[in-house]
Amino acid sequence: MSTSQQTRSGALAGLVQRHGALGVLVLLLVVGGLAFDTFLTAYNLGNLAVQASFLAVIALGMTMVIVSGGIDLSVGSVYALSGVLAAYSARWGPIAALLVPLAVAAAIGLVQGLLVGRAKLAPFIVTLGGLLFARGLLQFLTAEGSETYLVPRESAFLQLGQGSVLGVGVPVLIVVLLYAVGGIVLQRTRFGMRLFAIGGGEDAANLMGLPVTSTKVGVYVLSATLAGLAGTMNAAQLGSGVTVIGVGLELNAIAAVVIGGTLLAGGMGSVSGTLAGVALLFVIQDLINQVGGFNSNLQAVVSGAVLITVVVLQTLLSRARR
Amino acid sequence: MSSSEDMSEEPTAQVVLEASGIRKSFAGVHALRGVDFRLRAGEVHALVGENGAGKSTLIKVLTGVYQPDDGELHYLGAPVSFARPAAAQEAGISTVYQEVNLVPSMTVAHNLYLGREPRSGFGLVDFRGMRRDAENLLEDLGIDVDPRRQLGSLGLGVQQMVAVARAVSADARVVIMDEPTSSLEPREVETLFELIRRLHERDVAVVYVSHRMEELFQICDAVTVLRDGRLVHSGPMYEMTRLELVSTMLGRPLSEVRREGTTAFGGDHETGSTALLRATGMSRRGVLGAVDLSVKPGEVLGLGGLLGSGRSETVKALVGLQSLDAGVIEVDGRTVRRGSAASAIRAGIVLVPEDRKAEGIIPHLSVRENIVLAALPRLSKAGIVSRARQDKVVATFMERLRIKASSPEQKVNELSGGNQQKVMLARWLAMSPKVLLLDEPTRGIDVGAKAEVQSLVDDLAEQGLGIILVSSDLEELVEGADRIVVLKDGSSVAVLTDSEVSVDGVMSAIAEGGADE
């Protein structure tokens, strides 16, 4: 094989790896639109976007963590805990309802970040601990779920989840804004470059004199804070703190990130891919609902199959690029 | 021995870095016992010594990784102490490590400027500026590579150039290179030397650490020899012959070194008449074209060729670790199933792989466990491993290969590179093989251990083993092998015998090979 051929097929493989999720998403939207009248409607897509927005916010932080070569298993629990804290704090006004959960989430992220970055413990174990800790704290605060906190009906805080601007839901606008900023942070700032460098070769990053520890601390704080924000938005949408949500959500987030073309091993990835990955998971779910008659549990089966397909493709593609 | 600074035939360039009376010990073990080191602007200064002589410790003191227990550092005439590696880097002392220490998944430009990216407004990284700077830097240094390429897609040699470029781009006055050529091809070494000459023109001082004698004499102006943490010699390179340098390093009398040569290989071996292993038409699309080779009992067959010519793939194919599309491998006339490591081992073919860290030793296991690993099935009955038989095997090989370890239970990652390599050899010799494949057996180990491994190879051949030796070190290949098969682009292009087995012979076979077929 000539070198130029190799480079070209490598470039093509890279393109598919980065934008494969987007391609499949567009394909499904077209097919779905042709097959079902009720699919490509503003109402349906708007609803879908609001539903997807919570996972999207979590997956943004997860993308950064995974690019840095880590993993954050605590996000599902932090999400649920933050929702309850938001609903509880809403009695002191909308500002408190927003800041209390974010502060608690950031603190959990800080502890995890210090354990991973400074004490050099494995992120898998540290954030598994975080998962149990946050879920346990949630059970304690709600007396094992028997106590439900409601957001006062007239609170402006509800707008964060239920409001809309020009027909677009506030959660969706938040996602658009966060992904725009997140894309710039990951691709265009020194912090982003360091995440890629640490994920691509931590020893090398250390020898180059990069601030590895503080970058890692930063990324776990970011991930936990975003999970906290997602939980807060969810509480605003539901008008209450629900204790049973977010179980296994970290795995959905990881799935969306990987489907979006980010390497689970770190060092390579994009937030736009993650957004496509999140959208893909929800579009698949909706299409199965549209078909109807199927058990809705089938959605998980299809999502699982898609994930496996993507990982197999990624592996084959990265081999082709070598 | 007196040092050269009081000799006045050289125009004395400015001293950029000077260490005097450096002492450093770890847990009571003296690594450096009062070492002086003086580096002048624009010189290429070889720092040599066996492993454990204190080279790495001295480098780490110079670059701020370690703080000396005693002694002084002067940089550009002023006393300094570097608290962290970053401090030394900022002052202008950069290091290029043995293994390329860059991020393979990022582009060349990123790797050059990571940690000090140029920024435009709003604190965003200025990619266009970064690429332009990278292009200028690479062009200045005569490195022909597109800064937009992903680093991992480039050859190791080019990656090493990028590492050097990164080191000098920080306005370095001193660049320390720790075995920069250990994974480079001869051609790539030339390019690196070209780069070093450019650094010399820019008055950058280079500290060059290498075990490869020919390189030291080719590129270095001055040499400092350490032994057991002490300075034993410092002076201009031209004042020394190669033998003198080796004998100074080893602390052995010149006559002894002269008698034994610079490698420890003996002469030719008594070889059997019929082939022990014969491989014909080994091919794999995109990897191997057509490789034919054979080894007789007692023979050392060398595999020559450039990196990427298919040497490692060939030996891997012989033990079933590289799948083949076609080809026949026979041991004692019986065909071995292709692509099956188990049947290769049953037939008596074993491989000591090139990358002992990734493919060989298991660092957290003991010497004993590492040695018996492959032989476990033979040492056990009904799945129960006999400890007594293990201990016997381990004791035998530790003695026979002179493995230096505090006990068989010492963790293997605590041993020196040479002893790790011997543990690897022991693992496969414990399988009582017929054919032993050695892929770069002496890479990255010091001169003394190298000699021991080389003489072991000789002994093993004398005992009737067929040996295939892969080495990038041409001298080692030529002195070690009885016959050499030269590979080029995945095919065997020449077989060198008797007087053709020479450095020139291999070089010309690589240069001309394939053309006449």
Side-chain angles (χ1 to χ4, degrees):
Chain A
M1 208 190 283
S2 79
T3 324
S4 71
Q5 245 178 325
Q6 233 162 1
T7 337
R8 215 175 306 142
S9 71
L12 185 69
L15 199 71
V16 175
Q17 185 170 9
R18 281 194 300 276
H19 302 299
L22 188 62
V24 177
L25 179 65
V26 170
L27 187 74
L28 282 187
L29 286 176
V30 170
V31 171
L34 293 176
F36 309 104
D37 294 338
T38 52
F39 178 69
L40 271 190
T41 58
Y43 175 77
N44 188 44
L45 291 185
N47 252 343
L48 212 52
V50 171
Q51 285 172 37
S53 59
F54 312 111
L55 180 63
V57 173
I58 292 174
L60 179 62
M62 186 68 83
T63 308
M64 309 248 181
V65 172
I66 290 180
V67 162
S68 80
I71 196 92
D72 189 350
L73 299 180
S74 70
V75 288
S77 293
V78 171
Y79 168 74
L81 173 66
S82 305
V84 170
L85 288 173
Y88 183 87
S89 316
R91 66 186 66 176
W92 301 313
I95 304 294
L98 187 61
L99 290 188
V100 170
L102 290 188
V104 171
I108 292 176
L110 180 65
V111 173
Q112 295 187 140
L114 287 171
L115 289 173
V116 172
R118 186 153 300 182
K120 310 213 184 309
L121 300 179
F124 189 96
I125 299 300
V126 169
T127 58
L128 183 60
L131 181 157
L132 298 173
F133 174 86
R135 185 63 68 178
L137 190 59
L138 167 69
Q139 297 289 1
F140 174 76
L141 289 178
T142 59
E144 294 194 18
S146 64
E147 201 153 334
T148 306
Y149 302 109
L150 294 177
V151 179
R153 281 185 166 280
E154 70 286 359
S155 175
F157 172 65
L158 293 173
Q159 290 300 315
L160 189 67
Q162 297 171 0
S164 68
V165 177
L166 300 173
V168 182
V170 171
V172 180
L173 293 174
I174 293 176
V175 167
V176 170
L177 182 71
L178 285 177
Y179 270 76
V181 174
I184 291 172
V185 166
L186 190 61
Q187 305 291 346
R188 293 293 309 270
T189 64
R190 287 188 170 182
F191 178 73
M193 294 301 106
R194 285 173 197 151
L195 292 178
F196 281 110
I198 294 168
E202 192 173 335
D203 292 339
N206 265 319
L207 283 170
M208 286 186 194
L210 301 185
V212 173
T213 304
S214 61
T215 307
K216 280 187 175 178
V217 173
V219 81
Y220 284 94
V221 171
L222 186 68
S223 172
T225 309
L226 285 172
L229 178 63
T232 307
M233 284 158 57
N234 187 256
Q237 203 216 5
L238 299 175
S240 71
V242 181
T243 56
V244 293
I245 57 167
V247 177
L249 196 63
E250 60 281 349
L251 301 180
N252 287 348
I254 295 169
V257 170
V258 172
I259 288 172
T262 296
L263 284 187
L264 198 50
M268 222 177 266
S270 70
V271 300
S272 57
T274 298
L275 194 56
V278 172
L280 197 55
L281 288 179
F282 276 85
V283 165
I284 289 170
Q285 178 185 5
D286 190 60
L287 283 176
I288 288 171
N289 289 341
Q290 297 270 353
V291 173
F294 277 117
N295 186 333
S296 66
N297 285 326
L298 206 58
Q299 180 252 328
V301 175
V302 176
S303 301
V306 168
L307 180 64
I308 299 292
T309 312
V310 167
V311 173
V312 169
L313 272 177
Q314 268 193 3
T315 311
L316 293 178
L317 288 171
S318 68
R319 276 183 205 157
R321 292 174 75 180
R322 243 176 253 145
Chain B
M1 240 171 268
S2 81
S3 45
S4 71
E5 65 260 21
D6 24 44
M7 299 188 166
S8 48
E9 68 261 47
E10 295 253 332
T12 35
Q14 185 208 358
V15 174
V16 277
L17 185 61
E18 183 170 17
S20 38
I22 301 291
R23 291 176 182 277
K24 179 76 187 170
S25 54
F26 301 96
V29 181
H30 298 283
L32 294 176
R33 312 163 188 244
V35 170
D36 300 330
F37 182 71
R38 180 175 285 194
L39 186 66
R40 294 176 189 283
E43 80 177 352
V44 183
H45 197 127
L47 181 60
V48 296
E50 286 203 84
N51 281 0
K55 287 172 308 192
S56 326
T57 312
L58 179 58
I59 288 179
K60 285 178 176 161
V61 167
L62 296 179
T63 54
V65 178
Y66 295 154
Q67 308 306 313
D69 299 337
D70 194 19
E72 282 184 355
L73 272 186
H74 287 260
Y75 178 60
L76 300 174
V80 285
S81 85
F82 299 120
R84 289 167 299 112
Q89 271 173 35
E90 276 158 30
I93 302 178
S94 303
T95 315
V96 176
Y97 298 90
Q98 178 176 4
E99 314 286 336
V100 179
N101 263 300
L102 299 172
V103 185
S105 55
M106 302 183 86
T107 66
V108 171
H110 272 129
N111 272 293
L112 287 173
Y113 291 100
L114 261 175
R116 52 197 165 86
E117 298 91 346
R119 285 191 284 190
S120 56
F122 311 110
L124 299 184
V125 176
D126 175 13
F127 283 107
R128 204 171 301 157
M130 189 160 94
R131 207 173 75 210
R132 202 178 44 237
D133 291 354
E135 270 166 6
N136 292 338
L137 174 70
L138 293 168
E139 200 187 314
D140 267 8
L141 295 171
I143 304 168
D144 181 25
V145 58
D146 184 344
R148 287 167 300 184
R149 284 282 295 272
Q150 195 186 327
L151 186 85
S153 70
L154 303 167
L156 272 182
V158 185
Q159 293 190 28
Q160 191 68 278
M161 302 302 153
V162 175
V164 177
R166 180 182 164 90
V168 299
S169 66
D171 286 327
R173 303 292 306 269
V174 175
V175 176
I176 297 174
M177 301 189 182
D178 189 1
E179 296 222 35
T181 56
S182 68
S183 48
L184 299 192
E185 280 299 321
R187 194 172 19 121
E188 294 169 333
V189 171
E190 262 322 304
T191 323
L192 179 70
F193 284 1
E194 195 50 49
L195 187 53
I196 292 176
R197 284 182 199 112
R198 281 178 194 249
L199 296 183
H200 168 79
E201 284 163 21
R202 293 169 156 215
D203 246 14
V204 174
V206 175
V207 178
Y208 192 88
V209 180
S210 178
H211 289 308
R212 294 189 180 175
M213 292 295 139
E214 65 271 36
E215 288 176 3
L216 299 179
F217 282 89
Q218 201 181 334
I219 195 76
C220 297
D221 313 313
V223 58
T224 292
V225 184
L226 300 183
R227 196 171 65 227
D228 298 329
R230 289 197 177 86
L231 174 78
V232 290
H233 175 81
S234 188
M237 202 75 204
Y238 65 82
E239 282 184 354
M240 281 198 125
T241 67
R242 226 155 120 157
L243 283 177
E244 280 168 355
L245 183 56
V246 172
S247 85
T248 314
M249 280 168 66
L250 298 180
R252 277 161 48 194
L254 196 57
S255 56
E256 195 182 304
V257 178
R258 183 170 291 138
R259 194 170 60 244
E260 292 175 8
T262 51
T263 67
F265 287 116
D268 286 354
H269 306 101
E270 199 73 14
T271 57
S273 48
T274 53
L276 180 60
L277 173 139
R278 182 190 299 281
T280 42
M282 290 199 295
S283 70
R284 168 77 180 175
R285 204 170 72 90
V287 182
L288 291 176
V291 178
D292 303 318
L293 54 84
S294 66
V295 194
K296 295 177 197 137
E299 183 184 44
V300 178
L301 174 75
L303 274 190
L306 301 173
L307 199 78
S309 60
R311 296 172 315 196
S312 293
E313 290 77 3
T314 300
V315 287
K316 281 191 174 156
L318 290 173
V319 289
L321 296 177
Q322 157 79 53
S323 47
L324 288 175
D325 298 327
V328 179
I329 301 166
E330 294 168 325
V331 174
D332 281 338
R334 259 188 305 222
T335 308
V336 181
R337 199 151 64 88
R338 279 204 314 256
S340 158
S343 52
I345 290 174
R346 260 201 307 280
I349 317 177
V350 300
L351 166 69
V352 179
E354 174 181 15
D355 188 346
R356 66 173 173 268
K357 285 210 180 82
E359 301 175 341
I361 64 156
I362 301 178
H364 295 293
L365 293 188
S366 67
V367 172
R368 172 179 59 81
E369 288 162 322
N370 266 287
I371 290 179
V372 297
L373 204 56
L376 281 179
R378 325 166 124 229
L379 300 176
S380 47
K381 213 173 251 172
I384 309 291
V385 186
S386 154
R387 182 60 189 260
R389 291 171 71 185
Q390 272 189 47
D391 288 341
K392 200 168 148 229
V393 168
V394 171
T396 312
F397 282 104
M398 282 185 71
E399 196 199 320
R400 200 170 131 201
L401 305 189
R402 293 182 296 273
I403 296 173
K404 280 182 214 138
S406 58
S407 88
E409 301 308 318
Q410 191 179 8
K411 277 188 184 175
V412 83
N413 60 356
E414 293 167 3
L415 304 187
S416 70
N419 278 301
Q420 291 184 2
Q421 190 65 299
K422 288 193 218 161
V423 169
M424 284 300 303
L425 263 172
R427 176 190 295 169
W428 295 110
L429 291 175
M431 303 293 291
S432 14
K434 292 175 185 159
V435 184
L436 178 64
L437 314 180
L438 298 169
D439 197 354
E440 303 284 1
T442 64
R443 169 175 292 174
I445 63 181
D446 69 71
V447 179
K450 209 169 193 168
E452 282 197 43
V453 170
Q454 289 166 342
S455 63
L456 259 173
V457 171
D458 259 0
D459 290 350
L460 294 168
E462 259 155 43
Q463 289 161 23
L465 248 69
I467 293 175
I468 298 183
L469 172 70
V470 176
S471 177
S472 300
D473 183 343
L474 273 182
E475 194 163 311
E476 176 176 276
L477 190 69
V478 165
E479 290 191 18
D482 302 311
R483 215 152 48 88
I484 293 180
V485 168
V486 178
L487 299 183
K488 190 177 181 182
D489 299 334
S491 299
S492 42
V493 292
V495 182
L496 310 179
T497 50
D498 305 322
S499 64
E500 296 163 4
V501 177
S502 65
V503 172
D504 286 347
V506 177
M507 298 284 246
S508 57
I510 291 171
E512 296 156 21
D516 52 5
E517 293 193 19

